[in-house]
Amino acid sequence: MPKLFEVKFTDKSNTGGFWSAIDVWIKKPHVVNKRLCGVKETQSKNVDFEEIRNILLTHGSDTSESKDVLTFLNSGVELEHDKKRLWSFCVRTFIPKVNCYGTTVHKDIILKDFDTQRVSFLPVEESAEGTASLRKNNIYQIQLLAEKNDEWTLELHLMRPGDWFSDGVAYPKLPWLGGELLPKLVRWATESKISEFKSTLSLLPVEMYSTMYQQLKDKYKEMVKVWPEVTDPEKFVFEDVAIATYLLVLWGEERAEKGLTAKQSFVDLGCGNGLLVHILSNEGHPGKGIDVRKRKIWDMYGPQTHLEETAITPSDGFLFPGTDWLIGNHSDELTPWIPVIAARSSFSCRYFVLPCCFFDFYGKYQRRHCKKSQYKEYIDFISEVSTACGFNTEEDCLRIPSTKRVCLVGKSRSYQLSDEPQAEEWRVKYIQGRQTCSGVTVRESNAEGEAEHNHSETDRIHGTNWGAGFQPRERIETVRNCAALPRDFVDGIVLRVANSLLGLTKDEGGDVPSTWNTGGRLSVREVAELLEQETLQVLKKECGGLQTLLKNNHQVFRVEGGMVHIRDWRVQAQRPRGLQGTRADSKRKPLLSGALKTRACWFHTHHPHGCPLQAEECAFAHGPDDLRPSTRPLKKMKNSN
């Protein structure tokens, strides 16, 4: 049997890791093949030798060809034994991101042989008329072989390696299969990492999602060119397109299931830039968005997109009895309240929430379970809130460019309409319990001035004032990413930390090295110990604290894995374009020509050996004569979506 590629590795676990990795490739090929949106998979069943022969005959193979395929599938296995054993059989249908096949459907017949630790992939092309043909030139097999001790070999076998056809979608290139897929399978097999969350798009038909996403992406891609906000246009535009696609497919499935014709209405609470509202409205769903602060882009949408600038406070004044769905897309402090508002708006009101920042009802969420990741714990908390509000809660994972992509959906209630009074009592008790945990004191101002009132729990939680204690976001957002700190304050910290790093490489006599001093390294904790408590208290109020300040001063420091280094720009200059050392560096955009020499070179001024680069090679100014005014517009310090 022709073997084309192999990867050797060491693993102390059994073969279960191999089959887990194979299942990822079978069920989620899009995680490595980015030209795929996903697959549809049939239910697995066990088949014997004769059934496989019949499967091949029904897919366009004659008797002679079927024999060749069976010989390839069963290489090294005695025929008598082969006829007695069973394979696990299923079929997957590819869903490309862009339909490049017309009406032809591409599938894989998949045969797992657990006895010999191998899985075979038999490509099938099916016409619109239902005629299926086996593409024998592209049959391949992946096999796990045990060596000595804990040594293993993963091999890729091809039936006809000289006739392989590749289109990069359903048929990958051979170097990709050997150089990309096999190492990925080894990593997945040895990591044996079980995801905390459900698989992507588990509540939707993936094919329908893929088709609609491409349509919406083409329809709204021009928004990237006219995006007036300071946020990354590609990330926010295509993320909102993906979220809109998810909701539109979800709602379409709901209409089909319930026999509805009218499109669902919605309210997006904390709508931010309003693009999601704009897309949903354009696609025929009546609704509006509400946010505490208007964005510049709102004026670009036109009158058909309804957006309101209002601070939302959970209360009877913010219930939506005539609305079908409430949306919380990265709604921050409103996130735990959205299931509550939906439940109290009407028995038929549903919700969709995509949690991001970790908020409880009355402040920041406090962790309770250290064995879970913080994100998983918070998702479980919002799910708990939803259940306490009487929803049958479903969880899914969106396909968006974000690490926070788990959503919760409340489409139905766990009780009957006649039980609404009891359900409300349960909500009251749950919110009251969370309020006690938060230690919230409710204060209210009257005409005489500030005075503290002891409201009864019924009036405060169950009545019109049930959101008392909730702190809505300020209309003007405070910048807390260290960018607004006084320049002298930041420069002093930078100089102290840099001098400490440079001092780590002095010899026993206390002399600085004669070559350019790259300094030593310190952990972020060790750097914190260099600073006074007063300084640390100021940094503690900033998002990310000391580490954010060090990363902001990218010219001077390199922060990797919690360790702080002096940045050596000679290494940066020697790297080929597109090849950076860290993930952060790979995301960092190169300096635009308009930004060159607009800031002073820290090394030229403060380093004992000066800048390691010549003035013409350095992106920063070597002295006043080298400095020039910036041609780029100043960025507004905002972090809004």
Side-chain angles (χ1 to χ4, degrees):
M1 178 166 51
K3 178 183 69 178
L4 201 64
F5 298 99
E6 67 175 19
V7 177
K8 295 183 179 296
F9 63 100
T10 302
D11 186 28
K12 294 183 179 180
S13 65
N14 55 27
T15 58
F18 165 71
W19 289 111
S20 296
I22 288 296
D23 280 343
V24 175
W25 172 234
I26 292 173
K27 300 174 186 296
K28 305 177 184 178
H30 54 275
V31 301
V32 281
N33 186 346
K34 301 303 181 183
R35 294 184 179 181
L36 294 175
C37 183
V39 294
K40 288 193 299 184
E41 185 186 5
T42 63
Q43 188 72 29
S44 297
K45 66 176 183 178
N46 291 330
V47 294
D48 59 19
F49 185 85
E50 287 302 321
E51 286 176 296
I52 292 177
R53 188 196 303 274
N54 291 334
I55 290 170
L56 294 175
L57 291 173
T58 57
H59 286 83
S61 295
D62 57 31
T63 304
S64 174
E65 288 177 331
S66 297
K67 185 177 179 181
D68 292 341
V69 175
L70 288 170
T71 301
F72 172 76
L73 296 179
N74 304 290
S75 176
V77 180
E78 294 182 8
L79 183 61
E80 289 305 313
H81 173 68
D82 179 68
K83 289 184 177 180
K84 295 177 183 178
R85 78 182 197 278
L86 297 175
W87 286 263
S88 174
F89 161 83
C90 72
V91 177
R92 65 174 179 179
T93 303
F94 291 106
I95 304 172
K97 281 188 175 178
V98 179
N99 183 12
C100 51
Y101 297 129
T103 57
T104 303
V105 178
H106 287 65
K107 301 181 178 182
D108 269 346
I109 295 173
I110 299 170
L111 295 168
K112 292 181 181 178
D113 185 349
F114 294 104
D115 291 340
T116 59
Q117 303 299 323
R118 56 184 165 187
V119 56
S120 303
F121 297 83
L122 288 66
V124 173
E125 295 180 7
E126 189 175 289
S127 68
E129 293 76 26
T131 305
S133 60
L134 183 69
R135 194 169 189 112
K136 293 169 283 296
N137 293 347
N138 283 61
I139 295 175
Y140 69 98
Q141 191 177 83
I142 299 171
Q143 184 170 17
L144 179 69
L145 298 175
E147 308 292 345
K148 57 184 178 179
N149 299 325
D150 298 321
E151 299 294 323
W152 302 84
T153 300
L154 193 64
E155 295 184 347
L156 175 69
H157 302 270
L158 305 178
M159 182 173 168
R160 298 176 180 175
D163 298 323
W164 183 270
F165 167 77
S166 171
D167 63 8
V169 186
Y171 306 122
K173 295 180 180 179
L174 287 180
W176 184 90
L177 283 173
E180 293 289 337
L181 179 60
L182 282 193
K184 282 279 189 183
L185 291 172
V186 169
R187 183 164 69 84
W188 294 337
T190 53
E191 279 182 351
S192 297
K193 185 177 179 182
I194 300 175
S195 174
E196 294 180 300
F197 304 106
K198 289 191 174 183
S199 24
T200 306
L201 306 179
S202 62
L203 301 181
L204 301 182
V206 177
E207 188 172 11
M208 190 177 296
Y209 174 91
S210 175
T211 302
M212 181 169 289
Y213 176 74
Q214 289 303 322
Q215 291 172 352
L216 295 183
K217 187 178 179 182
D218 291 340
K219 187 173 182 178
Y220 296 101
K221 63 184 178 182
E222 295 301 315
M223 292 294 300
V224 173
K225 299 178 182 178
V226 297
W227 192 255
E229 306 292 338
V230 297
T231 49
D232 181 359
E234 288 197 5
K235 178 188 185 302
F236 284 98
V237 170
F238 295 130
E239 180 172 320
D240 281 356
V241 165
I243 296 170
T245 303
Y246 187 93
L247 288 170
L248 291 170
V249 174
L250 182 72
W251 294 346
E253 290 291 289
E254 182 183 58
R255 291 196 302 276
E257 180 184 327
K258 295 182 177 181
L260 304 174
T261 54
K263 291 191 174 183
Q264 295 89 331
S265 59
F266 71 92
V267 175
D268 187 351
L269 301 176
C271 63
N273 58 53
L275 180 56
L276 180 59
V277 178
H278 177 64
I279 296 173
L280 296 176
S281 299
N282 264 9
E283 300 306 313
H285 287 269
K288 66 179 179 179
I290 306 174
D291 201 278
V292 69
R293 188 174 64 258
K294 181 180 179 179
R295 310 299 200 271
K296 290 183 290 186
I297 197 171
W298 285 16
D299 293 328
M300 298 176 59
Y301 294 136
Q304 79 282 0
T305 302
H306 302 288
L307 299 166
E308 296 179 10
E309 184 180 14
T310 305
I312 303 167
T313 300
S315 64
D316 283 358
F318 284 95
L319 295 180
F320 306 93
T323 299
D324 294 317
W325 282 80
L326 298 187
I327 298 171
N329 173 21
H330 293 188
S331 45
D332 296 346
E333 68 276 0
L334 284 170
T335 298
W337 285 104
I338 287 176
V340 181
I341 297 172
R344 287 178 170 168
S345 289
S346 72
F347 184 75
S348 62
C349 187
R350 289 87 78 194
Y351 80 86
F352 165 93
V353 68
L354 181 62
C356 180
C357 300
F358 308 139
F359 282 90
D360 207 325
F361 289 109
Y362 301 102
K364 288 286 188 178
Y365 177 78
Q366 302 298 319
R367 295 201 65 181
R368 294 176 290 176
H369 306 288
C370 58
K371 292 184 179 180
K372 298 179 183 179
S373 69
Q374 186 177 14
Y375 184 46
K376 171 61 175 172
E377 182 181 339
Y378 188 67
I379 293 295
D380 288 347
F381 163 62
I382 300 301
S383 181
E384 179 185 288
V385 173
S386 177
T387 302
C389 289
F391 284 100
N392 294 313
T393 309
E394 296 179 278
E395 178 186 304
D396 204 354
C397 194
L398 304 188
R399 194 169 289 172
I400 56 176
S402 172
T403 56
K404 308 286 177 65
R405 29 191 212 106
V406 177
C407 70
L408 295 172
V409 180
K411 294 195 294 183
S412 63
R413 303 295 173 91
S414 58
Y415 61 92
Q416 299 298 317
L417 178 59
S418 58
D419 298 325
E420 181 63 40
Q422 294 90 333
E424 177 58 24
E425 290 298 330
W426 179 251
R427 287 179 210 121
V428 169
K429 289 179 181 178
Y430 182 81
I431 298 170
Q432 184 177 349
R434 297 301 307 175
Q435 189 177 40
T436 303
C437 293
S438 304
V440 175
T441 301
V442 181
R443 292 181 176 271
E444 196 174 273
S445 297
N446 60 19
E448 303 296 326
E450 288 193 0
E452 189 170 327
H453 296 268
N454 295 319
H455 297 279
S456 69
E457 294 301 324
T458 301
D459 181 49
R460 178 146 42 92
I461 299 175
H462 189 69
T464 59
N465 201 28
W466 44 268
F470 170 79
Q471 295 295 323
R473 184 177 299 183
E474 297 293 334
R475 189 175 297 275
I476 299 176
E477 193 168 9
T478 305
V479 177
R480 290 183 179 170
N481 61 355
C482 296
L485 292 173
R487 191 69 250 174
D488 291 345
F489 177 82
V490 175
D491 289 345
I493 295 174
V494 170
L495 189 60
R496 175 175 293 190
V497 175
N499 285 337
S500 298
L501 292 170
L502 294 171
L504 294 174
T505 53
K506 290 182 179 179
D507 58 29
E508 294 181 358
D511 295 328
V512 177
S514 56
T515 56
W516 196 83
N517 186 3
T518 57
R521 66 176 192 167
L522 293 169
S523 67
V524 175
R525 175 174 293 183
E526 290 171 325
V527 171
E529 292 172 355
L530 301 172
L531 307 177
E532 296 87 355
Q533 280 299 316
E534 184 180 352
T535 300
L536 294 174
Q537 287 300 318
V538 173
L539 293 175
K540 193 175 181 180
K541 297 176 183 178
E542 302 292 312
C543 295
L546 175 60
Q547 185 161 261
T548 294
L549 184 142
L550 296 171
K551 288 183 176 181
N552 285 354
N553 286 273
H554 166 263
Q555 183 193 164
V556 184
F557 302 114
R558 177 170 56 88
V559 183
E560 292 179 14
M563 303 301 294
V564 185
H565 313 254
I566 292 291
R567 184 171 293 279
D568 187 347
W569 284 93
R570 295 172 300 179
V571 177
Q572 195 85 0
Q574 291 166 4
R575 286 195 183 114
R577 179 173 291 183
L579 184 62
Q580 276 78 25
T582 68
R583 187 176 179 182
D585 284 341
S586 67
K587 288 184 175 181
R588 190 177 298 277
K589 294 179 181 179
L591 282 170
L592 301 174
S593 59
L596 295 174
K597 304 291 186 182
T598 58
R599 287 184 290 162
C601 176
W602 185 93
F603 295 101
H604 178 77
T605 306
H606 298 288
H607 194 283
H609 296 129
C611 180
L613 300 177
Q614 297 296 319
E616 58 271 17
E617 298 174 333
C618 184
F620 305 95
H622 285 205
D625 294 340
D626 201 22
L627 193 67
R628 63 190 183 91
S630 174
T631 59
R632 297 192 309 169
L634 290 175
K635 258 190 182 181
K636 289 184 180 179
M637 292 300 178
K638 281 173 113 177
N639 184 23
S640 60
N641 65 346

